[in-house]
Amino acid sequence: MSAHGHGTEPHAPVFTAAAARAELDDILSRYPTKMAALLPALWIVQRERGWVSEDGMREVAELLELTPAYVKGVVTFYTMYHQHPVGKHFVQVCTTSPCNVCGAEDVVNALLKQTGCGELGVMSPDGKYTVIEVECLGACGFATPVMINEDFIDGVTVERVPAILASLE
Amino acid sequence: MGYPHQPHERETLVLSKHFGEAEARTLAGWKQRGGYRALDRALRMEPAQIVDIVKASGLRGRGGAGFPTGIKWSFMKPGDGKPHYLCCNADESEPGTFKDREIMRWTPHALIEGCAIGAYAIGAETAYIYIRGEFTEPIRVMEAALAEARAAGIIGSNAMGSGRKVDVWVHRGAGAYICGEETAMMNSLEGRRGNPRIKPPFPAVAGLFGQPTTINNVETLAAVPDILVNGAEWYTKFSRPDNPKSTGTKLWSVCGNIQRPGNYEMVMGFPFGEFLHEVCGGALPGRKLRAIIPGGSSVPIQTLDEAEGSLMDYEGMIAGGSMLGSAGCIVIDDAQNLVKQIARLVRFYAHESCAQCTQCREGTGWSQRIMERIVAGDGTAEDLDTLLSIADNMTGKTICVLSDSCATPIVSGIQKFREDFEALIKRRTMHPVAAAVA
């Protein structure tokens, strides 16, 4: 897989596994329409595969009786679905004003340097990291919040960056 | 001091009483703290009685709009033969605001109880809690609490043995500020792009899945159980004597350049100056507070004088030149480049515009480019008039208020801190010789 593919790589189906299928069926039982399960289904694809490829979108479309084009339209609206592979540790740093006035840009620069990413949105040469800036993470009083995959770390300062990166494996 | 610190003696703890207590997250711990008494009582009342109590309490929407909750509930007509829905807005994304996050992290059962009471009161059998995708910990805590409540029969097809069906589910968003707008949220829940809908029809007529729907903020719903247990009159006493329109306690999220950032629970009408300087500890050492955005990034910026003269309720913040909004208070001190921070907010709105309406799609982008050019030192003398003209075209002309929200910091910033903008423009656009002479 290339670091900057566009979602065209072959992609194993997700919902042929019994557990994933049962999870989706449980979700479907909560809503009066199949379409309402679209966001949750895409979350399952991303959890299982690390990103949402065109094949993943097609599989979800078929299960929920939607068209692949429709599903892609929804995927591209939301910022959290990855449309290409990302580093093993996907690092999101809030730099909106409340965190910005507390030094968030310095945290971003420290992360870019120490992960070897160099640039926002670019995977590090070892494939371990991708660092991006995000808009308000809703933890403004705990500046600067950093999300690494599904983990949320409050109060990150430049000084804490080396220890945080060392804890990731 | 407010959470994550020890409570300050001038706080009034109702919603935040159990913040930081891990035990309160469990069903057993919550019941020990008096949990689910209100729901038990509510399920044995007529829905209309509950609506009347909430109306009498004066509770108003805590998400920003401040609409009276009981009146909103009364728009849902019982016995119309249609399925009704309750949506809990937990998409908390307004820069400066982080109160709902703590309610969900520490007192998930308070929210479940509020959702169940609200659902029953509006004739809904299903409530969805729409939580922003980034809130992974609140989602985990809410899911665990819901599983416990479901296993104990508190929610489900026979809620607390009442014979009533009340189900509550978490629905995870996927990264979009606009989904905090109630009609965008309904579209997102239905599996669509989060584009706001044109009103009318209003959600109470045709909302989620085309059915009558009520949308309430996390803090609003979490306030309901205590109101039912203690009575409407108890709640109305949390107000200033000369303003019965704002009642209850309010969580204030405070962030930015301040000694003790965090969440503080204050009675409506508390003096904002005392709050900032005394309760939150005031400015950082050697600095001075300069600009305050009291209600989340969408409300007008206040000067320190305006803030110090304001009272912390819906009417008091308007009198003080701003709005209560979501009570997400962003404090900016004299060490910051204020224009850069306003530009950063404008970039936020440009990023988050759903791009349906021309005025917003183009206006947010143009405003961002002009603001960033001013910050970079390439601004011109005409830029401020251009910004104000664009802002005028962005206000009151679109499906939702994201466009207006983008214009607000620009307009209030230029009105109240014009010298900051002019200093940046003059500094770099003058001919070097002219600058040397000046």
Side-chain angles (χ1 to χ4, degrees):
Chain A
M1 280 191 305
S2 77
H4 300 284
H6 293 280
T8 51
E9 288 87 349
H11 202 258
V14 170
F15 295 99
T16 45
R21 180 69 226 199
E23 191 180 351
L24 182 62
D25 287 341
D26 180 45
I27 290 166
L28 281 165
S29 72
R30 303 171 189 176
Y31 306 98
T33 67
K34 284 191 170 182
M35 193 164 85
L38 179 52
L39 266 60
L42 292 168
W43 275 121
I44 295 173
V45 171
Q46 180 151 309
R47 186 188 69 205
E48 297 299 319
R49 296 285 175 265
W51 60 298
V52 182
S53 68
E54 303 244 343
D55 287 336
M57 294 181 213
R58 267 194 291 274
E59 187 188 6
V60 168
E62 199 171 311
L63 285 167
L64 301 183
E65 294 166 18
L66 304 165
T67 66
Y70 177 84
V71 172
K72 188 164 192 176
V74 171
V75 168
T76 52
F77 184 86
Y78 299 93
T79 56
M80 292 185 78
Y81 296 124
H82 306 314
Q83 292 162 65
H84 56 75
V86 294
K88 183 180 169 197
H89 304 294
F90 187 70
V91 183
Q92 308 185 68
V93 190
C94 173
T95 59
T96 312
S97 303
C99 292
N100 205 293
V101 298
C102 297
E105 289 178 5
D106 297 334
V107 174
V108 171
N109 291 332
L111 282 163
L112 284 175
K113 199 172 163 202
Q114 294 173 41
T115 55
C117 290
E119 259 182 85
L120 291 169
V122 174
M123 200 194 291
S124 60
D126 58 7
K128 276 173 79 175
Y129 303 101
T130 302
V131 179
I132 66 161
E133 282 185 24
V134 284
E135 297 298 344
C136 191
L137 282 175
C140 322
F142 304 81
T144 295
V146 174
M147 239 186 120
I148 303 180
N149 297 341
E150 296 282 290
D151 292 323
F152 207 103
I153 309 171
D154 288 340
V156 177
T157 55
V158 172
E159 292 71 34
R160 284 185 65 197
V161 167
I164 289 168
L165 291 179
S167 71
L168 299 174
E169 259 328 308
Chain B
M1 287 180 266
Y3 184 81
H5 319 285
Q6 287 302 306
H8 191 278
E9 59 182 17
R10 301 192 71 185
E11 283 186 77
T12 303
L13 305 186
V14 179
L15 289 162
S16 61
K17 195 162 51 189
H18 303 297
F19 281 9
E21 295 172 25
E23 224 183 56
R25 291 172 161 182
T26 65
L27 180 56
W30 191 245
K31 280 189 156 175
Q32 272 168 19
R33 288 162 178 77
Y36 291 113
R37 277 189 301 159
L39 177 61
D40 192 39
R41 193 177 297 178
L43 289 167
R44 282 152 187 80
M45 292 163 69
E46 285 301 314
Q49 285 177 281
I50 303 171
V51 174
D52 285 343
I53 292 171
V54 173
K55 264 189 199 168
S57 76
L59 176 65
R60 292 166 66 178
R62 300 298 195 225
F67 194 84
T69 307
I71 293 178
K72 193 187 249 191
W73 288 4
S74 71
F75 295 153
M76 301 288 283
K77 296 296 165 216
D80 57 6
K82 297 176 181 172
H84 292 187
Y85 291 102
L86 176 72
C87 289
C88 171
N89 188 341
D91 193 56
E92 185 164 66
S93 310
E94 175 81 3
T97 316
F98 49 97
K99 61 189 178 64
D100 298 340
R101 173 182 189 249
E102 302 311 316
I103 292 174
M104 291 188 283
R105 283 177 76 201
W106 295 111
T107 57
H109 289 286
L111 180 57
I112 297 170
E113 190 169 6
C115 285
I117 295 169
Y120 174 66
I122 62 164
E125 294 188 337
T126 309
Y128 298 106
I129 305 174
Y130 184 101
I131 308 183
R132 64 176 297 182
E134 294 87 346
F135 274 0
T136 48
E137 190 196 352
I139 289 170
R140 279 196 291 265
V141 175
M142 286 306 308
E143 293 275 23
L146 281 167
E148 264 201 293
R150 199 168 290 123
I154 287 171
I155 52 171
S157 53
N158 180 17
M160 298 193 89
S162 64
R164 313 276 185 180
K165 182 183 170 197
V166 182
D167 256 329
V168 184
W169 303 103
V170 163
H171 191 95
R172 184 182 184 186
Y177 167 73
I178 192 57
C179 290
E181 197 280 341
E182 60 181 15
T183 60
M185 171 171 297
M186 296 190 296
N187 272 341
S188 182
L189 240 159
E190 291 179 11
R192 303 173 195 275
R193 293 165 70 90
N195 291 336
R197 300 176 184 173
I198 293 172
K199 293 188 269 194
F202 289 93
V205 175
L208 188 64
F209 305 115
Q211 305 297 344
T213 302
T214 295
I215 299 102
N216 288 130
N217 174 259
V218 168
E219 188 185 351
T220 313
L221 289 168
V224 169
D226 281 311
I227 292 172
L228 283 201
V229 168
N230 298 303
E233 206 190 322
W234 163 82
Y235 202 69
T236 60
K237 286 182 180 152
F238 299 121
S239 61
R240 55 182 156 119
D242 56 343
N243 183 21
K245 290 182 184 166
S246 294
T247 61
T249 60
K250 178 81 192 77
L251 284 174
W252 284 76
S253 305
V254 183
C255 64
N257 308 127
I258 189 100
Q259 290 271 8
R260 291 189 293 269
N263 279 297
Y264 297 85
E265 188 167 5
M266 309 305 296
V267 291
M268 288 288 184
F270 194 87
F272 198 31
E274 287 173 39
F275 174 71
L276 289 169
H277 295 297
E278 188 187 320
V279 180
C280 304
L284 298 169
R287 309 239 199 114
K288 286 197 180 87
L289 304 187
R290 181 127 196 284
I292 316 289
I293 310 178
S297 60
S298 302
V299 307
I301 304 172
Q302 287 183 309
T303 62
L304 183 60
D305 278 351
E306 282 179 320
E308 285 174 339
S310 302
L311 296 170
M312 297 163 75
D313 58 25
Y314 294 99
E315 291 70 26
M317 295 314 291
I318 291 172
S322 188
M323 283 178 349
L324 179 80
S326 59
C329 175
I330 308 170
V331 182
I332 299 173
D333 70 17
D334 59 352
Q336 309 302 325
N337 177 344
L338 181 61
V339 182
K340 179 189 165 188
Q341 295 310 327
I342 294 171
R344 189 63 190 79
L345 288 179
V346 172
R347 178 178 136 190
F348 169 84
Y349 290 108
H351 181 264
E352 301 297 342
S353 171
C354 85
Q356 274 191 114
C357 306
T358 310
Q359 293 91 334
C360 180
R361 182 183 62 244
E362 303 302 323
T364 55
W366 294 345
S367 300
Q368 181 190 345
R369 289 199 289 279
I370 297 172
M371 286 296 301
E372 290 182 347
R373 151 172 115 204
I374 293 172
V375 174
D378 297 325
T380 66
E382 301 81 49
D383 277 349
L384 298 187
D385 287 341
T386 310
L387 279 170
L388 291 173
S389 161
I390 296 170
D392 186 47
N393 280 317
M394 290 170 69
T395 305
K397 297 182 173 68
T398 46
I399 293 174
C400 82
V401 295
L402 188 145
S403 181
D404 309 58
S405 300
C406 180
T408 299
I410 299 172
V411 173
S412 58
I414 294 175
Q415 273 170 359
K416 298 175 186 178
F417 298 92
R418 193 177 182 102
E419 66 279 10
D420 289 49
F421 289 80
E422 288 178 340
L424 281 171
I425 289 169
K426 277 183 186 145
R427 200 169 65 204
R428 295 286 184 85
T429 52
M430 260 189 209
H431 189 276
V433 175
V437 173

